[in-house]
Structure formats: structure tokens, C-alpha cells
Amino acid sequence: MKGFISLSSKYLFLLLGVIGILQSCSRNPVTGKKELMFMSESQEIALGKESDPSIVASFGLYENPELQAFIADRGNQMAKLSHRPSLPYEFKILDSPVVNAFAVPGGYVYFTRGIMAHFNNEAEFAGVLGHEIGHITAKHSARQQTTQILGQLGLIIGVIASEDFRQYAEVASQGLQLLFLKFSRDHETESDRLGVEYSTKAGYNSMRMAEFFETLHRISAKDGGGSIPTFLSTHPDPLNREQNVKSLSAKWQQGKDVSALKENRDSYLRMIDGLVYGDDPKQGYVENWVFYHPELKFQFPVPRNWKYENSPIQFQMAPADGKALIVLTLGQGNTVDEAANAFVQQYKVQVKDSRRTTVNGYPAMMVISTQAAQEGQQQNPQNTIQLATWFIQYEGLIYVFNGMTYAALFNQYQRTFDETAMNFRKLTEPDKLNRLPERIRVKQVKKTGSLSDALLSCEVPAARHEELAIVNGMKLTDVVQQGSLIKVVSK
Ligand SMILES: [Zn+2]
């Protein structure tokens, strides 16, 4: 049952233990200058090791041994010629459609399948790889990153364990994956420079890296700026970064035989032929404000116009104003009673009411509780969080709908919390159960002409041409030669 829940909260607590960070003074491996470091190398490695299981559990690993082997191989090769060759690097592809790549201190580098689908040659990938390795080798804001990872992965625990509810609910309403790891302008610039240096040393043409900024720029423009990938970051401007990387590349390529630098377009495209593109229905999907999970065979309504976010460990929903939050996750124990008791003990909530019931014939338990203000704070309805938690036993698992808001707003939201949980039911519609993901399909162009013509001859509907132009890193009017490869998507 891969795809929905695979992580206990154990890892999140492990992570919290790692924040005891000492400051020390040491030499920066990239600049060679002495500077204040928040972490020693062994602390960095420990942090990466501790964070990795949570990251993998939150997103899931993309199951494709060939692609995982490819990224590990290229990653390790490049790490060897970086400023910190002896770190225990790990390179992984996460099962997320979001276009993103990020690094965690200690040598952990992650690419999503979404970004792998958008690269059009190995040189673009290598440039981003060098950029991410650069964040690690130059020891960028290790501490700041860590706090942000915790803020994200510890979401549910954070909500219940602190009064910073508003902040978390707002994160949930914006889509938390996008907030992952933001760096300062200077750090992004330095990593761009290292991306050019490392990918050139590894034999790639880093001009292709520069061009990938255009792809990122187009993706964010298409989504109205709503899904700016971390790699792109809001500043400096992506098109400035493109120019900067181009001029750095020109310097690095001086005196080199540019035609001998690797791009590996065809081999890269053939490798990603069949890659899952966009949301994978088997991990659960929303259609007309209903969430369907074909593998676990259940469905329930999503409150209309709420924002939602699906991950392998939880599904969360929040209104745009961020004043409430419903999180679906798995409970502990074998019965609803056990799960409810474990919940009350773990989160130290004060139970106001609880009753046993059924939800569409399945054993269920509903608990209303409050989470008091933190120590030293006056308790009042503005800083007390009130929760309506539903535990439902279905096919050997306990599903927990945790609806929460400020006590002062509880009456306003309780009906939404209840209706969401009470309409949890078995999924039986074959059409919903057998939904297949779209995949990248690599096709050979039959006749020289515009990309638009080529897409039409591959039966791509016109409404998706602009999207596919971005995926191909081209304009629709660009000429594609007979026999060359392009990407289309189909089931
Ligand atoms: Zn970066």
C-alpha cells in the first residue's frame, strides 16, 4: 500500500532532537575564508541522515531503478570533483509532480520526477545537480533550512504542539511543498556559479543549464506565479540568472572545444520515456471536490473551494484564509478506542466530549478536545485550538480526520469537519478505481515542421500544446527536424 501512509511520527520527533545546534568558527570549503558556522561537519551529516527518512516518507521515492541508478551515478561523479568530495552523498528521485530539486546539509540531494520530466537533456540536469551540490559544499544557511524542513514535515505535530496555528494553517492553504528551502539571493548566485563550475568540470555544456531557467520561468508564469519552484526562487530574477549563467559558461568554456562538451539529449529523453507525468491517481486524487484513493479504496468530500495538499503521509485541507485545517492521516492501534486514546495521550489534548458511532457502517469514534495555550500564556478562545477528531475503522486501518480551528471559531467550522468525516465511504466505481497516470512518451518526428505540427500529428489536443511546448523546452513555432525526438504525454 505504497502511496498514502508509510511513516510514523517517530521520525518527526527524531528530527526535533537534532536542533541543538552549536555555532563554531571554521573555514568555508568553497571560499576558503574563515566564517561563523552553525554546524560542524558531523552535525551536518547527522542532520541529513535524520531528515532523509522524513523527506522520503513525505514525498515517496519514485520507483524506477534505472532512473535512481542514473542520478546516483551522475551525482557521485560530480560530488567527487566538488569542494567537498568526501561527504557521504545520497541522490534520490521523489515521487512528486512538483518541479523541484533541493539539497539538505550533509550531502542529501533530491530531484522530483516533475523536474526530471522537464529536463530536455542531461546537461540541464547536470547544471541543476551542480547547483544543489553547491548549496551543500558552500554550507548555505544550514540552520535556516533545517528549521524550514521541520516546519513542513512536522506540520501536524507543530499545529498541535504550539500556538503558531495560524502560520501552519496558512502554509497548508498555500501548498507546503512549494515552500521548501528558500535561500538568500547571494546563496543562489553562488550556487549558480558552482553549478556552472561543477557541470563544466564533469564535461557538460552549462549553456543548457542557463536555458533551463527559461523553462522554470515559463512554468511559474503559466501558473500565475503560484508555483515557483525552489530552484527558481523568487529572487534573483530567473532571467537575470539565465544571463549570469550564460556569461559564466562562456568564461568556463574559453579555450575548450565546445562541441565536445556533453549534452546527451537523445539518451536522456529515451531514459525518461514512460516517466509518470503530473499527479499519479494511485496516490489519491481530487475530482469535483471529492478525494478518491484507488489503492486504499475510499472516498470522501473535500470542502468546496478549500485548498488541499496530498502527500504519502497525509492529506490536508484548509480554507484560503487559513483559519481552519483538516488533516487525514492514519491512527495508531487496532480499534478506534485505541487510536483515540493514543491520540489524546500523544498530543496531550483535553477531551471535552467523545462518543462511539458509525460512519457508513464502519466503527467510528468522535472526540472533541482542546489544546490549551502554551505555558505562561493566558488561556482564552483566541489562542486555544479546538479539535473535532474522527477515528474510522476501515479495512484493517484506522483513518483519522483531524479538524482544528481556534476555539472561538469552532462552531463555525464544526459542521464542515463533521460532514467531511461522516461522508467517508468505500470507493467502488471502476472508473475511479482504474484511473491511470499520464506518462511522458518520447516520439520521433515524422516530418520536418513546427513543434505545433509535430504535436498535432502525435494527436496532442491543441489545448495542451503550450504546456507541451514548455515540457519540450521549445516554442510552438520552433522547427523540429524529421527523425528528432520530442516529448508528448498520454496514459
Ligand atoms: Zn538553490
Side-chain angles (χ1 to χ4, degrees):
M1 52 144 256
K2 190 206 162 279
F4 183 60
I5 282 149
S6 48
L7 171 85
S8 71
S9 51
K10 174 176 89 176
Y11 292 118
L12 302 176
F13 288 119
L14 273 177
L15 262 177
L16 293 171
V18 201
I19 317 206
I21 293 163
L22 296 169
Q23 296 186 1
S24 65
C25 204
S26 61
R27 233 169 254 287
N28 184 295
V30 169
T31 61
K33 287 187 191 133
K34 273 203 158 190
E35 60 182 37
L36 191 64
M37 291 288 173
F38 291 114
M39 306 175 99
S40 69
E41 186 163 302
S42 61
Q43 282 172 321
E44 274 182 76
I45 293 169
L47 177 64
K49 266 210 176 81
E50 302 283 9
S51 319
D52 179 65
S54 297
I55 291 169
V56 168
S58 298
F59 296 92
L61 279 187
Y62 183 61
E63 284 173 16
N64 181 322
E66 189 197 354
L67 214 52
Q68 296 283 359
F70 164 81
I71 170 175
D73 177 71
R74 302 303 192 269
N76 286 314
Q77 273 179 27
M78 194 175 288
K80 279 204 189 78
L81 46 84
S82 77
H83 294 89
R84 299 176 78 186
S86 56
L87 282 175
Y89 288 91
E90 297 230 12
F91 301 89
K92 296 179 180 180
I93 297 175
L94 300 174
D95 195 357
S96 163
V98 174
V99 177
N100 207 354
F102 57 92
V104 171
Y108 288 79
V109 178
Y110 306 89
F111 284 72
T112 59
R113 65 172 164 77
I115 201 169
M116 297 305 284
H118 281 81
F119 291 131
N120 277 288
N121 53 62
E122 201 176 314
E124 288 180 345
F125 159 78
V128 177
L129 177 67
H131 174 101
E132 297 304 335
I133 291 176
H135 280 308
I136 292 169
T137 57
K139 295 191 156 209
H140 287 161
S141 317
R143 185 176 199 175
Q144 183 201 341
Q145 293 178 47
T146 314
T147 318
Q148 283 175 358
I149 294 171
L150 291 169
Q152 309 239 331
L153 298 180
L155 186 72
I156 177 69
I157 286 167
V159 169
I160 299 180
S162 86
E163 88 282 13
D164 295 338
F165 167 71
R166 163 171 279 278
Q167 184 197 331
Y168 287 111
E170 272 173 7
V171 168
S173 72
Q174 288 162 12
L176 79 164
Q177 295 186 359
L178 304 171
L179 298 178
F180 224 93
L181 309 188
K182 286 214 172 80
F183 292 98
S184 72
R185 184 193 197 97
D186 288 350
H187 285 168
E188 290 301 349
T189 305
E190 185 171 44
S191 265
D192 284 347
R193 184 175 64 70
L194 291 167
V196 172
E197 177 177 341
Y198 296 161
S199 65
T200 308
K201 284 182 171 164
Y204 294 99
N205 187 346
S206 55
M207 287 293 179
R208 300 289 88 82
M209 171 191 176
E211 287 159 12
F212 192 66
F213 283 111
E214 231 162 286
T215 297
L216 294 172
H217 175 72
R218 289 170 77 192
I219 293 169
S220 78
K222 183 186 66 162
D223 296 346
S227 68
I228 296 165
T230 307
F231 174 71
L232 178 65
S233 170
T234 48
H235 58 109
D237 179 88
L239 300 178
N240 288 342
R241 289 174 69 185
E242 179 182 359
Q243 283 316 311
N244 181 42
V245 167
K246 276 190 174 152
S247 62
L248 286 167
S249 297
K251 275 187 206 139
W252 274 94
Q253 292 179 1
Q254 256 170 29
K256 281 198 166 65
D257 176 6
V258 176
S259 67
L261 292 171
K262 283 182 284 188
E263 296 189 9
N264 295 355
R265 182 174 192 273
D266 286 7
S267 60
Y268 181 82
L269 293 180
R270 289 219 163 83
M271 182 180 67
I272 62 161
D273 192 9
L275 183 74
V276 171
Y277 175 80
D279 290 322
D280 189 343
K282 79 171 184 193
Q283 297 173 325
Y285 60 96
V286 174
E287 212 170 79
N288 297 323
W289 303 103
V290 179
F291 178 87
Y292 299 100
H293 203 296
E295 283 206 340
L296 299 172
K297 300 187 177 55
F298 67 79
Q299 67 176 74
F300 63 86
V302 174
R304 200 162 275 271
N305 299 323
W306 281 30
K307 310 278 182 187
Y308 51 84
E309 177 88 13
N310 189 21
S311 85
I313 49 168
Q314 62 186 31
F315 181 78
Q316 55 189 30
M317 299 152 267
D321 66 8
K323 286 189 174 149
L325 182 66
I326 304 176
V327 181
L328 170 67
T329 186
L330 280 188
Q332 297 168 24
N334 297 315
T335 64
V336 292
D337 291 73
E338 281 177 26
N341 285 335
F343 173 81
V344 169
Q345 283 182 8
Q346 187 173 359
Y347 299 115
K348 298 187 173 58
V349 292
Q350 292 158 342
V351 177
K352 295 183 71 172
D353 186 20
S354 81
R355 63 187 160 86
R356 224 169 262 126
T357 176
T358 57
V359 167
N360 290 307
Y362 305 112
M365 177 108 156
M366 199 270 292
V367 177
I368 292 180
S369 64
T370 55
Q371 160 104 57
Q374 296 204 315
E375 247 175 86
Q377 272 198 329
Q378 191 95 53
Q379 184 157 357
N380 65 51
Q382 271 70 46
N383 64 16
T384 301
I385 293 167
Q386 188 157 344
L387 305 96
T389 312
W390 288 77
F391 302 85
I392 304 168
Q393 185 161 12
Y394 173 67
E395 299 208 335
L397 295 171
I398 311 285
Y399 291 89
V400 184
F401 283 91
N402 205 359
M404 54 196 109
T405 184
Y406 300 102
L409 299 176
F410 189 75
N411 287 343
Q412 188 184 323
Y413 283 106
Q414 188 178 11
R415 227 178 104 183
T416 308
F417 296 159
D418 290 351
E419 279 174 359
T420 303
M422 286 165 66
N423 286 297
F424 177 95
R425 65 182 72 238
K426 187 182 181 80
L427 171 57
T428 55
E429 281 171 78
D431 160 57
K432 302 285 192 312
L433 286 166
N434 301 325
R435 241 357 113 77
L436 292 172
E438 286 195 316
R439 292 176 187 274
I440 295 283
R441 307 289 181 192
V442 174
K443 303 277 185 196
Q444 209 156 27
V445 175
K446 291 192 191 94
K447 193 172 148 230
T448 300
S450 69
L451 175 64
S452 187
D453 293 340
L455 291 174
L456 271 179
S457 83
C458 293
E459 290 169 7
V460 176
R464 297 194 69 183
H465 281 199
E466 186 51 39
E467 175 193 357
L468 265 298
I470 296 172
V471 169
N472 279 287
M474 292 181 203
K475 295 193 187 70
L476 284 172
T477 50
D478 283 355
V479 172
V480 289
Q481 299 295 326
Q482 181 181 353
S484 65
L485 301 180
I486 58 164
K487 292 184 261 184
V488 300
V489 295
S490 69
K491 292 196 173 166

